[in-house]
Amino acid sequence: MFKYIVKRLLIFIPTLFAISLLTFVISINAPGDPVETMLNQNVGGDGMSGEKLANEQTYIDKRHELGFDLPLFYFSFTNATFPDTLHRIPKKAHRENLQRMSYEYGEWNNVSAYYHSLRAFEDEIFTIEINDKTSSDLRKIKDAISVLYINYDSDKTESTIQNIEFDLFKNKKIKKYGAKKYYDFLNAYTHMNLYKSSTNRYIPKLVWYGLENQYHRWIWAFVQGDFGISFKDKRPVSSKVFDALKWSMILSVLSIIMAYLVAIPLGVRSAVDKGKWSEKLITTGLFLLYSLPNFWVATMLIRYLGDGNGIGWFPTFGLGSLPATAPYWDRFFETGYHLVLPLFCLTYASFAFISRQMRGGMLNVLEMDYIRTARAKGLKEKVVIWKHAFRNSLIPIITLFASIFPLAISGSFVIEIIFSIPGMGKLTLEAIFARDYPIVFTVLMFTAMLTLVGNLVADVLYAYVDPRISFSNKK
Amino acid sequence: MGLLNIFSRRKAAEQEIIDMAGNRESFTGNENESYWTIVKKQFKKNKIAVWSLRIVYVFVFIALLADFLANEKPIAAKYQGEVYFPVFKEYAVDLGISDWQKEFINVSWKDLDYEWEVWPLTPYLPKNIDFMNTSVGPFDEQDIESTRWKHWLGTDALGRDVFAGMIHGTRIALLVGIVSMGIAALIGIFFGAIAGYYGDDKLKMRISTLVIYIIGFIVALFYGFGVRSYALSDSIGESFSDFFLELLISFFIFGAIMYAFKLISKGLKKLPFLTKEVVVPADILISRLIEVVVSIPRLFLIISIAAVVAKPSIFIVMMIIGLTTWTGIARFTRAELLRVRNLEYIEAANALGYKELRIIIKHALPNALSPVLISIAFGIASAILIESTLSFIGVGVPAETITWGSLLSASRQDSTAWWLAIFPGFAIFITVTVYNLIGEGLTDAMNPKLKK
């Protein structure tokens, strides 16, 4: 048994590795620049060159601090146009565009030269003093440059460059300062255009980056228990997730316990009474409950029982607003009162599911020969059902417990959102909308681990309940 | 049981194999019915399941005829002396065979002066906005010209007709169920069949073949998908048909390269080195893959992917649901094939020297189909539930696509609009229940214990 558990725990490692890769892939493809998200609160505005430079420096520093200037993974397997030094370029939007340009033009060195000459030209433009004469032309040029940064279409690039040239030479002062860098830029552009080819994109290329990469950095910190900080409010992810996990756990555990308490006797009853009209009623009712979408039930409960526009029996929002100084029991009952409706929504579905399973298991067992034997030797019906049949039909129910647990956590997702309960579901959804990926990562990894552990616990319990199952035989 | 004898009667043996597999082709004798006939008979005995199936037919009917049931254009009309069929015409225009006449471009169909016209059941599209009637209920007084224009199930806060939304929502709901389960079934049956049929011992290969296949797989992935990643991601933004076409091209390239490498591996067999045979533990590999996918919390994953996609679309939601729900089908197929693969008729087919692909598809898989069917029925129910959950919380489904879930979520903002809460919720409930009931019915019908 011990050997079996160790073996299963070892299997966790590749599984968790695969899941971490998946979440990592999701996050790097996510739209939005995490560094910008993080800086948004304190840095803003553009215009003067000094401010622009300072902003860029903060961006670069922050990016370095977060490790986003590292390569993504241990190696990259791409086509030959893929820029191997791309991760050094700040701004995610620029990076994405440059990668695309490299693909379109086929030679990263040329594209890189183009990009750097464009930056040099932009810096030059930003040093030109803004006054009545220059301001409108400068603005046009700056806008055009920012278009060039995020555009890979050759026709559009061509026309934008023509516009820049027009504005540049129209104004003497701008021409005097900017022309040299402009010609450098134009040279780089023509060079890039001249050597445009599409053969490179069909040549595979493998680059080895080593341990200094974003994935390694993240997973290593994760293994050591450092989940990073939230991009949004800079709180540690661990404290945010554990706060939320607390509420999700309370909801799931309570709902599972309640569901079992009702479901088991009901399932047994309906199996024993098979064929009676009461049994048919229960089975149909359970089936309907099982198919009821819980967000619909929640919406209806809020509408008709809630305090907003229904008859006002139950609160429908949050967990109550008593201050932390209020007596413990007052707060306890206040919170409990707020949890009635969400708990109901969470419970009814799993309760219907469990009792249906219980009924099925019980029906199977009741058909067995040893039950007939037990009846034949004159045991009381009660003893037959509860002592002989019930114990054996518990097996599938016990395994259900472990698999229901992670289900309950993600099942509370929608309910938490509807009732505004600060649990994992609400946290994750808000994190997704705010592009706060450290939180999404951590939640995904945690729920995956819970699921794995749940499955393991189920299997171990299974063997415990049913002595016929032995893992040592299973090679 | 002389194998040589079987060889001599190839054709007859094949018939026997099919019969042993319990396939559709039945015995001529009247006592032995084929497996599927029995299943059908059992299913028909289950009144509730049969009625559920009929309700599904009704939904399919509504979904197919949605354009004729709720549309801003009349089905037929006589206008300026000529008879038109605008709804049919729209299909033609969409297909690119025909163009609108000048007088119909940018017109309000409602205000045209027809000599006579036949309107659909409700003369609105889900997107049409009726400024005069915002948030009116079915029993409220509506500001309309005649009952022809009545909003039978009310309108939402913008003045969009709920009945029209419900009808076109049926189409989306059914499409989500079918497309996502279609994807899931393809992937699930593929992996399940390989894992189940080959197990851990049957997939033997020379080292040279294995190496060639692995290289071929990487190369095929590179040219099929890696190089074409921009073409693929660009086409998602365009339209679903463009994306589908690009995807087909990618798969074609992938398949062609794999085939080329297969030929290479055949050629390499003549070489004297790397001839040692190794056993590929297909079952372990695929079971591990299934375990990985299963242990990722599905709703979390779907919501994260749906939120990450640059341009939300209902088809992407379908694909994500399909790509994450195939594990159930794969497990069932695997379990069934593990059972079937040691049966005599498969051994016989092997002895006859049939190709393995043929044995799997023609002889082994038909036997495994019944649990897959059950799993698909339940899967459709859960896919519809997932999609409506997503549109209810507003993730992944674009705001302008009106689904049952998005109608239901509108009721949260509009606290007096009971009609927004009741009708879409009830539709979701009925659809999910009906598919679950069909799944139950199939389970009962296929349960061998009940077979007399």
Side-chain angles (χ1 to χ4, degrees):
Chain A
M1 191 65 167
F2 178 71
K3 232 174 150 184
Y4 173 77
I5 294 176
V6 171
K7 208 175 147 195
R8 283 286 294 265
L9 284 174
L10 282 179
I11 292 174
F12 279 12
I13 296 170
T15 311
L16 282 175
F17 173 70
I19 293 167
S20 75
L21 270 186
L22 194 74
T23 46
F24 186 70
V25 168
I26 292 176
S27 84
I28 54 174
N29 286 311
D33 189 338
V35 185
E36 266 175 11
T37 321
M38 202 156 179
L39 288 175
N40 249 352
Q41 278 104 349
N42 37 30
V43 189
D46 65 322
M48 293 305 290
S49 63
E51 200 178 338
K52 177 178 175 284
L53 278 178
N55 276 355
E56 258 181 36
Q57 199 51 49
T58 17
Y59 182 96
I60 291 168
D61 291 346
K62 192 85 215 170
R63 185 155 176 265
H64 183 72
E65 181 195 324
L66 293 171
F68 286 130
D69 53 352
L70 297 172
L72 286 176
F73 200 57
Y74 300 98
F75 61 88
S76 69
F77 178 68
T78 49
N79 55 59
T81 69
F82 185 80
D84 47 353
T85 52
L86 186 72
H87 49 268
R88 294 195 196 133
I89 292 180
K91 301 262 176 195
K92 196 175 173 192
H94 296 187
R95 271 201 304 283
E96 279 166 1
N97 186 52
L98 284 175
Q99 186 182 339
R100 181 77 198 243
M101 279 182 83
S102 183
Y103 178 81
E104 299 287 338
Y105 287 93
E107 189 62 63
W108 166 237
N109 288 334
N110 296 344
V111 175
S112 170
Y114 163 83
Y115 172 74
H116 286 292
S117 67
L118 180 63
R119 279 189 64 106
F121 175 52
E122 190 194 22
D123 288 346
E124 201 64 40
I125 291 292
F126 267 88
T127 56
I128 299 172
E129 188 195 345
I130 301 174
N131 57 31
D132 293 348
K133 274 185 192 164
T134 57
S135 99
S136 81
D137 289 335
L138 273 180
R139 170 106 324 262
K140 274 190 208 157
I141 294 178
K142 282 174 191 171
D143 285 349
I145 289 174
S146 55
V147 168
L148 284 183
Y149 275 133
I150 51 166
N151 171 51
Y152 57 84
D153 181 58
S154 57
D155 291 342
K156 203 174 171 197
T157 314
E158 195 81 31
S159 68
T160 318
I161 291 178
Q162 272 165 16
N163 286 341
I164 293 181
E165 190 164 318
F166 178 75
D167 290 323
L168 188 76
F169 290 108
K170 202 169 66 181
N171 191 309
K172 267 190 185 156
K173 191 163 180 223
I174 305 181
K175 186 182 162 190
K176 188 179 152 198
Y177 288 103
K180 190 179 168 297
K181 292 283 177 194
Y182 173 72
Y183 283 123
D184 289 348
F185 162 69
L186 203 62
N187 275 338
Y189 174 69
T190 347
H191 187 72
M192 177 178 80
N193 236 349
L194 206 61
Y195 291 96
K196 183 173 180 175
S197 80
S198 55
T199 43
N200 266 351
R201 64 174 83 149
Y202 297 111
I203 302 169
K205 186 173 78 172
L206 184 74
V207 181
W208 181 259
Y209 291 111
L211 290 183
E212 271 299 300
N213 63 62
Q214 289 184 34
Y215 174 77
H216 185 79
R217 193 183 151 123
W218 165 65
I219 198 74
W220 192 238
F222 191 92
V223 169
Q224 291 171 333
D226 170 17
F227 307 140
I229 40 174
S230 158
F231 290 160
K232 209 172 87 188
D233 54 9
K234 300 190 184 73
R235 272 177 63 198
V237 171
S238 51
S239 86
K240 280 184 93 162
V241 169
F242 284 124
D243 283 355
L245 191 62
K246 185 180 77 184
W247 286 112
S248 292
M249 290 289 246
I250 290 177
L251 275 179
S252 329
V253 170
L254 276 180
S255 79
I256 289 176
I257 292 174
M258 278 162 49
Y260 268 92
L261 283 181
V262 190
I264 290 181
L266 207 66
V268 173
R269 187 79 273 159
S270 67
V272 173
D273 290 355
K274 191 178 186 230
K276 291 186 189 166
W277 68 268
S278 67
E279 180 264 345
K280 277 184 182 149
L281 201 72
I282 293 176
T283 329
T284 322
L286 288 180
F287 196 90
L288 294 183
L289 271 186
Y290 171 59
S291 301
L292 267 179
N294 61 1
F295 55 92
W296 186 39
V297 173
T299 319
M300 299 295 267
L301 286 178
I302 290 178
R303 171 170 306 280
Y304 292 109
L305 299 183
D307 51 9
N309 33 53
I311 50 175
W313 282 359
F314 297 101
T316 58
F317 187 86
L319 292 167
S321 50
L322 283 183
T325 50
Y328 179 80
W329 286 108
D330 283 5
R331 278 189 295 142
F332 181 84
F333 284 117
E334 171 83 358
T335 312
Y337 190 40
H338 277 81
L339 286 183
V340 173
L341 288 189
L343 266 181
F344 177 80
C345 294
L346 276 176
T347 307
Y348 80 85
S350 43
F351 137 70
F353 182 64
I354 298 167
S355 34
R356 284 172 52 76
Q357 296 290 322
M358 186 72 220
R359 174 172 179 268
M362 196 72 184
L363 278 179
N364 271 338
V365 172
L366 283 178
E367 275 174 17
M368 298 271 177
D369 287 343
Y370 73 86
I371 296 292
R372 209 184 312 145
T373 316
R375 281 196 180 126
K377 72 180 180 186
L379 286 180
K380 275 184 197 153
E381 188 64 17
K382 235 182 191 166
V383 179
V384 173
I385 287 169
W386 291 105
K387 202 158 175 218
H388 290 73
F390 176 67
R391 279 179 57 173
N392 276 321
S393 61
L394 263 184
I395 296 172
I397 299 298
I398 284 172
T399 48
L400 261 190
F401 175 78
S403 55
I404 269 185
F405 189 65
L407 260 184
I409 286 203
S410 57
S412 60
F413 203 111
V414 185
I415 296 301
E416 282 169 14
I417 292 164
I418 298 176
F419 288 98
S420 281
I421 292 166
M424 297 270 269
K426 195 157 173 281
L427 178 78
T428 319
L429 192 74
E430 281 171 359
I432 286 173
F433 281 133
R435 314 237 174 274
D436 197 352
Y437 281 93
I439 290 191
V440 183
F441 269 160
T442 317
V443 171
L444 268 172
M445 289 291 279
F446 259 87
T447 15
M449 275 193 263
L450 275 180
T451 317
L452 285 172
V453 173
N455 288 342
L456 177 61
V457 171
D459 287 352
V460 172
L461 276 179
Y462 207 90
Y464 185 74
V465 178
D466 189 347
R468 283 170 305 178
I469 297 167
S470 143
F471 292 115
S472 43
N473 293 346
K474 252 186 166 182
K475 6 171 213 196
Chain B
M1 124 143 205
L3 279 178
L4 278 175
N5 216 1
I6 296 180
F7 263 103
S8 63
R9 296 184 294 126
R10 223 182 154 111
K11 200 71 207 155
E14 172 127 26
Q15 184 57 45
E16 226 171 86
I17 289 165
I18 291 168
D19 288 337
M20 272 196 263
N23 208 334
R24 244 177 239 102
E25 281 132 86
S26 59
F27 283 84
T28 37
N30 47 8
E31 253 189 314
N32 295 305
E33 293 158 307
S34 92
Y35 179 65
W36 288 105
T37 328
I38 296 170
V39 168
K40 245 184 225 165
K41 236 186 195 168
Q42 286 293 337
F43 189 82
K44 274 186 186 152
K45 276 186 197 161
N46 189 340
K47 283 239 172 63
I48 298 174
V50 170
W51 272 103
S52 304
L53 201 61
R54 285 179 192 155
I55 295 177
V56 170
Y57 291 152
V58 172
F59 277 129
V60 171
F61 180 77
I62 294 175
L64 286 177
L65 296 183
D67 292 326
F68 297 92
L69 295 174
N71 207 322
E72 55 177 347
K73 303 179 180 69
I75 297 173
K78 191 166 188 188
Y79 179 66
Q80 293 177 346
E82 266 189 77
V83 179
Y84 295 100
F85 297 94
V87 179
F88 288 102
K89 179 97 183 164
E90 194 177 10
Y91 284 118
V93 173
D94 284 347
L95 286 172
I97 329 172
S98 169
D99 286 306
W100 288 111
Q101 288 91 341
K102 251 190 226 121
E103 59 263 39
F104 290 131
I105 293 173
N106 283 331
V107 290
S108 162
W109 290 89
K110 191 182 161 186
D111 303 329
L112 290 180
D113 242 343
Y114 304 105
E115 283 164 48
W116 54 262
E117 77 267 31
V118 182
W119 285 102
L121 206 55
T122 177
Y124 299 100
L125 276 179
K127 61 175 184 189
N128 289 156
I129 291 172
D130 184 354
F131 295 106
M132 307 301 288
N133 299 294
T134 52
S135 280
V136 290
F139 306 123
D140 297 347
E141 197 164 316
Q142 299 179 354
D143 185 6
I144 43 176
E145 287 160 30
S146 68
T147 43
R148 175 73 265 158
W149 305 99
K150 188 172 165 60
H151 299 282
W152 294 103
L153 298 183
T155 61
D156 68 359
L158 289 174
R160 295 181 293 194
D161 190 58
V162 174
F163 189 37
M166 296 283 298
I167 288 175
H168 285 263
T170 313
R171 184 179 267 183
I172 290 178
L174 290 197
L175 214 55
V176 166
I178 292 166
V179 173
S180 57
M181 274 309 115
I183 296 172
L186 279 181
I187 305 174
I189 290 177
F190 176 76
F191 280 126
I194 289 181
Y197 182 77
Y198 288 111
D200 284 337
D201 49 356
K202 261 192 179 172
L203 191 59
K204 287 183 191 139
M205 268 186 202
R206 283 157 171 250
I207 294 181
S208 65
T209 316
L210 186 66
V211 170
I212 288 292
Y213 271 144
I214 291 174
I215 296 174
F217 182 74
I218 294 172
V219 172
L221 218 54
F222 176 75
Y223 286 106
F225 297 94
V227 171
R228 296 174 44 76
S229 63
Y230 281 121
L232 285 168
S233 61
D234 282 356
S235 64
I236 290 186
E238 295 292 319
S239 74
F240 181 69
S241 54
D242 284 5
F243 176 65
F244 191 67
L245 191 71
E246 294 289 338
L247 206 63
L248 271 187
I249 296 176
S250 277
F251 274 113
F252 178 75
I253 296 174
F254 184 87
I257 293 176
M258 284 305 275
Y259 190 71
F261 273 87
K262 192 187 167 186
L263 294 182
I264 295 176
S265 79
K266 263 195 183 159
L268 278 183
K269 268 186 189 161
K270 297 196 177 90
L271 295 179
F273 50 88
L274 289 177
T275 49
K276 210 185 142 198
E277 284 212 327
V278 283
V279 179
V280 182
D283 189 26
I284 288 187
L285 290 176
I286 289 171
S287 300
R288 199 75 324 116
L289 179 70
I290 293 176
E291 192 175 307
V292 170
V293 178
V294 164
S295 51
I296 302 171
R298 202 164 76 191
L299 199 61
F300 276 65
L301 183 72
I302 291 176
I303 289 178
S304 340
I305 299 178
V308 159
V309 172
K311 206 179 166 193
S313 138
I314 191 82
F315 289 103
I316 294 178
V317 171
M318 293 177 196
M319 274 174 45
I320 302 172
I321 296 177
L323 288 176
T324 47
T325 51
W326 55 269
T327 47
I329 296 173
R331 277 178 165 175
F332 275 124
T333 317
R334 171 182 168 271
E336 277 300 295
L337 281 198
L338 274 178
R339 182 178 66 80
V340 164
R341 72 176 191 148
N342 291 326
L343 295 185
E344 278 165 2
Y345 79 94
I346 296 286
E347 266 172 39
N350 263 319
L352 282 172
Y354 289 152
K355 282 193 174 157
E356 274 178 332
L357 191 71
R358 177 181 175 167
I359 299 176
I360 293 177
I361 292 177
K362 222 172 162 191
H363 303 308
L365 267 182
N367 246 2
L369 225 59
S370 41
V372 171
L373 216 60
I374 298 171
S375 165
I376 287 179
F378 286 121
I380 290 179
S382 83
I384 292 175
L385 206 56
I386 291 175
E387 181 273 320
S388 49
T389 309
L390 285 182
S391 35
F392 182 75
I393 58 177
V395 171
V397 185
E400 65 271 14
T401 308
I402 294 191
T403 65
W404 291 342
S406 71
L407 283 173
L408 186 55
S409 81
S411 79
R412 289 173 68 205
Q413 276 91 49
D414 198 348
S415 55
T416 49
W418 56 266
W419 53 94
L420 280 174
I422 303 256
F423 301 124
F426 196 67
I428 299 170
F429 169 55
I430 289 291
T431 322
V432 172
T433 313
V434 158
Y435 274 109
N436 279 339
L437 281 171
I438 292 176
E440 288 280 303
L442 282 174
T443 317
D444 288 348
M446 288 168 185
N447 192 345
K449 273 187 196 163
L450 293 175
K451 224 195 285 170
K452 170 102 185 258

